[in-house]
Amino acid sequence: MTSAPPPEASPPAAALPTLEASRRGDRVFKGLLTMTALAVPVLMGFLVYELYDGAHLAIDRFGLRFITGNVWDPVAEEFGALPLIIGTLVSSCLALLIAVPLSLGVAVYLTEFAPTAIRQPIAFLIELLAAIPSVVYGLWGIFVLIPALKSTVFPFLRETLGFLPFFQGPIYGPSMGAASIILAIMVMPFIMSVAREVLLAVPGTQREAALALGATRWEAVMSAIIPYARSGIIGAVILGLGRALGETMAVTMLIGNRNEISASLFAPGYTMAAVIANEFTEAVGDMHLAALAYVALVLFMLTVLVNAAARLLIWRVSGRAPAGGKGA
């Protein structure tokens, strides 16, 4: 004969309103979080729609010829963004070429080799560099960086490496080289800070295992620590690239703002963000405004593509599937 299960204990009648109010609060909180999460794609969709709506005159007239054309003439209403696209990509890539080795070197030094007493103060100063407004970097570039480059660095490069097309031609001062250097200085704090946090997150057992096998500290860094943190380091580099692609004010002040394609780093150039900042307030024709909106749309798509490619690269390097919440 089986015995009947004991009846479930029911909450006291006085506690029922409290529980019901708690569940109602949970539902409201969940609804608010859901609306916040959905607001991000909605905002992006609204941004793309507004850019397309503002650029549709230029899209209808030029189509993809806008991306391959190299003429930018507001008077004749003839627009092509190829020099702007190349200027944006070249200045950003050169900035990363300068910034990444220096940033990773500083991050490795601070996490592995620096005395403990100076690690935190230096890290704090690096984080402060990221808070400096870009217009301050631009002024420093005009009054300090460009005179130094024009009088010493660029002449030295032309004399020693002048057989390369990158270091030929007259030296103007405001140039693609100067803009790339100021961009490198601006993105270094971001790359250094993220790379430092990633290296600090490497388990101590990785270091201890390498040292126990007879590796020097430098060999432990190169063979055990950096490979373990490579997906995070790539993320730091991509963060710097996104910063470089969208930077406006400092680049506008140093790049020279000439809509031409030149192999020389001494020659002026132009970027997509710079042309929008320079001409949007002065544009009066509908086609000119539409061309600037088309440039903004291309810059937006380029940034999205670069970040998507970076995310795929991180997943590939880390060997993880792109599941929700598992990305680097």
Side-chain angles (χ1 to χ4, degrees), residues 238 301-315:
I238 297 306
M301 298 303 296
L302 179 65
T303 305
V304 170
L305 287 176
V306 168
N307 282 279
R311 176 59 65 180
L312 291 176
L313 179 62
I314 291 173
W315 284 331

mmCIF file of all heavy atoms in Angstrom, residues 238 301-315:
data_model
loop_
_atom_site.group_PDB
_atom_site.id
_atom_site.type_symbol
_atom_site.label_atom_id
_atom_site.label_comp_id
_atom_site.label_asym_id
_atom_site.label_seq_id
_atom_site.Cartn_x
_atom_site.Cartn_y
_atom_site.Cartn_z
ATOM 1 N N ILE A 238 41.909 45.933 -33.802
ATOM 2 C CA ILE A 238 40.733 46.333 -34.570
ATOM 3 C C ILE A 238 40.044 47.526 -33.923
ATOM 4 O O ILE A 238 39.524 48.413 -34.606
ATOM 5 C CB ILE A 238 39.761 45.142 -34.684
ATOM 6 C CG1 ILE A 238 40.432 44.014 -35.452
ATOM 7 C CG2 ILE A 238 38.479 45.558 -35.385
ATOM 8 C CD1 ILE A 238 40.968 44.416 -36.805
ATOM 9 N N MET A 301 29.622 51.976 -44.288
ATOM 10 C CA MET A 301 29.703 50.597 -44.771
ATOM 11 C C MET A 301 31.123 50.054 -44.646
ATOM 12 O O MET A 301 31.323 48.878 -44.305
ATOM 13 C CB MET A 301 29.236 50.543 -46.234
ATOM 14 C CG MET A 301 27.793 50.972 -46.446
ATOM 15 S SD MET A 301 26.600 50.006 -45.469
ATOM 16 C CE MET A 301 26.834 48.383 -46.181
ATOM 17 N N LEU A 302 32.119 50.898 -44.930
ATOM 18 C CA LEU A 302 33.505 50.457 -44.810
ATOM 19 C C LEU A 302 33.839 50.087 -43.369
ATOM 20 O O LEU A 302 34.480 49.056 -43.111
ATOM 21 C CB LEU A 302 34.429 51.576 -45.303
ATOM 22 C CG LEU A 302 35.936 51.286 -45.235
ATOM 23 C CD1 LEU A 302 36.296 50.151 -46.173
ATOM 24 C CD2 LEU A 302 36.730 52.542 -45.585
ATOM 25 N N THR A 303 33.379 50.892 -42.436
ATOM 26 C CA THR A 303 33.633 50.599 -41.027
ATOM 27 C C THR A 303 32.955 49.309 -40.597
ATOM 28 O O THR A 303 33.542 48.483 -39.877
ATOM 29 C CB THR A 303 33.137 51.770 -40.162
ATOM 30 O OG1 THR A 303 33.736 52.980 -40.619
ATOM 31 C CG2 THR A 303 33.498 51.558 -38.708
ATOM 32 N N VAL A 304 31.712 49.110 -41.055
ATOM 33 C CA VAL A 304 30.999 47.879 -40.707
ATOM 34 C C VAL A 304 31.713 46.655 -41.288
ATOM 35 O O VAL A 304 31.888 45.630 -40.615
ATOM 36 C CB VAL A 304 29.546 47.957 -41.209
ATOM 37 C CG1 VAL A 304 28.857 46.600 -41.073
ATOM 38 C CG2 VAL A 304 28.774 49.005 -40.420
ATOM 39 N N LEU A 305 32.151 46.767 -42.554
ATOM 40 C CA LEU A 305 32.834 45.636 -43.184
ATOM 41 C C LEU A 305 34.140 45.309 -42.471
ATOM 42 O O LEU A 305 34.463 44.145 -42.248
ATOM 43 C CB LEU A 305 33.094 45.957 -44.660
ATOM 44 C CG LEU A 305 31.877 45.934 -45.579
ATOM 45 C CD1 LEU A 305 32.268 46.362 -46.991
ATOM 46 C CD2 LEU A 305 31.257 44.540 -45.612
ATOM 47 N N VAL A 306 34.900 46.348 -42.110
ATOM 48 C CA VAL A 306 36.168 46.110 -41.409
ATOM 49 C C VAL A 306 35.928 45.453 -40.066
ATOM 50 O O VAL A 306 36.612 44.482 -39.701
ATOM 51 C CB VAL A 306 36.928 47.444 -41.243
ATOM 52 C CG1 VAL A 306 38.086 47.271 -40.270
ATOM 53 C CG2 VAL A 306 37.435 47.937 -42.582
ATOM 54 N N ASN A 307 34.942 45.920 -39.333
ATOM 55 C CA ASN A 307 34.675 45.324 -38.021
ATOM 56 C C ASN A 307 34.114 43.916 -38.143
ATOM 57 O O ASN A 307 34.428 43.052 -37.311
ATOM 58 C CB ASN A 307 33.709 46.222 -37.243
ATOM 59 C CG ASN A 307 34.398 47.433 -36.645
ATOM 60 O OD1 ASN A 307 35.022 47.361 -35.597
ATOM 61 N ND2 ASN A 307 34.315 48.562 -37.342
ATOM 62 N N ALA A 308 33.298 43.665 -39.177
ATOM 63 C CA ALA A 308 32.785 42.309 -39.380
ATOM 64 C C ALA A 308 33.920 41.357 -39.747
ATOM 65 O O ALA A 308 33.997 40.224 -39.230
ATOM 66 C CB ALA A 308 31.718 42.318 -40.480
ATOM 67 N N ALA A 309 34.822 41.821 -40.619
ATOM 68 C CA ALA A 309 35.973 40.987 -40.980
ATOM 69 C C ALA A 309 36.851 40.717 -39.764
ATOM 70 O O ALA A 309 37.362 39.605 -39.583
ATOM 71 C CB ALA A 309 36.782 41.666 -42.086
ATOM 72 N N ALA A 310 37.001 41.730 -38.924
ATOM 73 C CA ALA A 310 37.802 41.539 -37.713
ATOM 74 C C ALA A 310 37.156 40.520 -36.782
ATOM 75 O O ALA A 310 37.843 39.689 -36.172
ATOM 76 C CB ALA A 310 37.966 42.876 -37.005
ATOM 77 N N ARG A 311 35.829 40.591 -36.644
ATOM 78 C CA ARG A 311 35.135 39.634 -35.776
ATOM 79 C C ARG A 311 35.299 38.206 -36.292
ATOM 80 O O ARG A 311 35.564 37.274 -35.523
ATOM 81 C CB ARG A 311 33.658 40.012 -35.702
ATOM 82 C CG ARG A 311 32.805 39.044 -34.922
ATOM 83 C CD ARG A 311 33.263 38.892 -33.502
ATOM 84 N NE ARG A 311 33.122 40.133 -32.751
ATOM 85 C CZ ARG A 311 33.456 40.247 -31.468
ATOM 86 N NH1 ARG A 311 33.963 39.224 -30.813
ATOM 87 N NH2 ARG A 311 33.299 41.393 -30.861
ATOM 88 N N LEU A 312 35.191 38.025 -37.621
ATOM 89 C CA LEU A 312 35.398 36.698 -38.198
ATOM 90 C C LEU A 312 36.833 36.229 -37.971
ATOM 91 O O LEU A 312 37.074 35.046 -37.692
ATOM 92 C CB LEU A 312 35.080 36.743 -39.698
ATOM 93 C CG LEU A 312 33.600 36.938 -40.055
ATOM 94 C CD1 LEU A 312 33.429 37.066 -41.563
ATOM 95 C CD2 LEU A 312 32.764 35.771 -39.545
ATOM 96 N N LEU A 313 37.783 37.159 -38.099
ATOM 97 C CA LEU A 313 39.185 36.797 -37.873
ATOM 98 C C LEU A 313 39.411 36.354 -36.437
ATOM 99 O O LEU A 313 40.125 35.376 -36.170
ATOM 100 C CB LEU A 313 40.079 37.984 -38.225
ATOM 101 C CG LEU A 313 41.583 37.781 -38.030
ATOM 102 C CD1 LEU A 313 42.087 36.672 -38.934
ATOM 103 C CD2 LEU A 313 42.337 39.077 -38.305
ATOM 104 N N ILE A 314 38.790 37.067 -35.495
ATOM 105 C CA ILE A 314 38.955 36.702 -34.080
ATOM 106 C C ILE A 314 38.367 35.318 -33.827
ATOM 107 O O ILE A 314 38.958 34.483 -33.134
ATOM 108 C CB ILE A 314 38.288 37.759 -33.193
ATOM 109 C CG1 ILE A 314 39.073 39.074 -33.269
ATOM 110 C CG2 ILE A 314 38.206 37.286 -31.748
ATOM 111 C CD1 ILE A 314 38.395 40.227 -32.562
ATOM 112 N N TRP A 315 37.189 35.056 -34.374
ATOM 113 C CA TRP A 315 36.594 33.729 -34.210
ATOM 114 C C TRP A 315 37.478 32.660 -34.818
ATOM 115 O O TRP A 315 37.638 31.574 -34.270
ATOM 116 C CB TRP A 315 35.205 33.699 -34.851
ATOM 117 C CG TRP A 315 34.170 34.376 -34.032
ATOM 118 C CD1 TRP A 315 34.146 34.515 -32.673
ATOM 119 C CD2 TRP A 315 32.998 35.037 -34.515
ATOM 120 N NE1 TRP A 315 33.031 35.218 -32.282
ATOM 121 C CE2 TRP A 315 32.305 35.541 -33.386
ATOM 122 C CE3 TRP A 315 32.464 35.241 -35.777
ATOM 123 C CZ2 TRP A 315 31.115 36.229 -33.492
ATOM 124 C CZ3 TRP A 315 31.271 35.932 -35.893
ATOM 125 C CH2 TRP A 315 30.605 36.423 -34.759
#
